Amino acid sequence: AVVSTQSGHYGRGLARSAQDLHLMLCWLEKEMQGMSAHSLQFVDAHCNAVDEIAGTTDGSVKAMYSLLSKAGQIQKDLTKVEMMSSHLKSINKYLERLDNTLIVPKSSPGGNN
């Protein structure tokens, strides 16, 4: 009779332990599903952020190349302007020489010249 009482007590304890274990596993499963869902959200957010950064970086690189191209064109134009400035200075010198050789001194107001 003692054995059957002990086995009944152990049986109820085992059933309670099995039920507790089942509840704990169900809770753990829900928690892990929640963690997985959050992990997916974080991965999606990370991917979106990376895509946005890549797009912004691509736009910045394109703008930089455009600026470099414009700077190169400005440099070419400035070289042409410098050459024209040098030619204009030379022309101005020749005009001054020509002007100096063509200028006849004016006579004084007394008329002695």
Side-chain angles (χ1 to χ4, degrees):
V2 174
V3 172
S4 68
T5 306
Q6 285 180 343
S7 65
H9 176 68
Y10 287 125
R12 285 192 300 270
L14 268 167
R16 183 184 295 161
S17 294
Q19 185 180 11
D20 289 347
L21 182 61
H22 176 71
L23 291 174
M24 190 180 347
L25 287 174
C26 287
W27 174 83
L28 186 60
E29 181 181 15
K30 286 179 187 177
E31 289 296 314
M32 290 182 75
Q33 286 173 350
M35 287 182 211
S36 293
H38 286 110
S39 295
L40 286 175
Q41 289 173 348
F42 295 145
V43 167
D44 285 342
H46 177 73
C47 287
N48 291 337
V50 168
D51 287 344
E52 186 175 338
I53 289 170
T56 302
T57 302
D58 187 47
S60 295
V61 168
K62 287 178 182 177
M64 179 189 67
Y65 279 119
S66 176
L67 284 173
L68 287 173
S69 175
K70 289 176 183 178
Q73 186 61 43
I74 289 171
Q75 182 64 36
K76 285 181 185 178
D77 292 344
L78 283 177
T79 301
K80 290 177 186 177
V81 168
E82 288 172 353
M83 255 196 317
M84 285 193 279
S85 174
S86 176
H87 288 140
L88 286 174
K89 286 178 184 177
S90 295
I91 291 170
N92 194 27
K93 284 180 186 177
Y94 288 121
L95 286 175
E96 284 178 10
R97 286 183 191 167
L98 181 63
D99 194 34
N100 287 337
T101 50
L102 293 179
I103 293 180
V104 178
K106 293 183 181 182
S107 59
S108 61
N112 288 341
N113 275 355

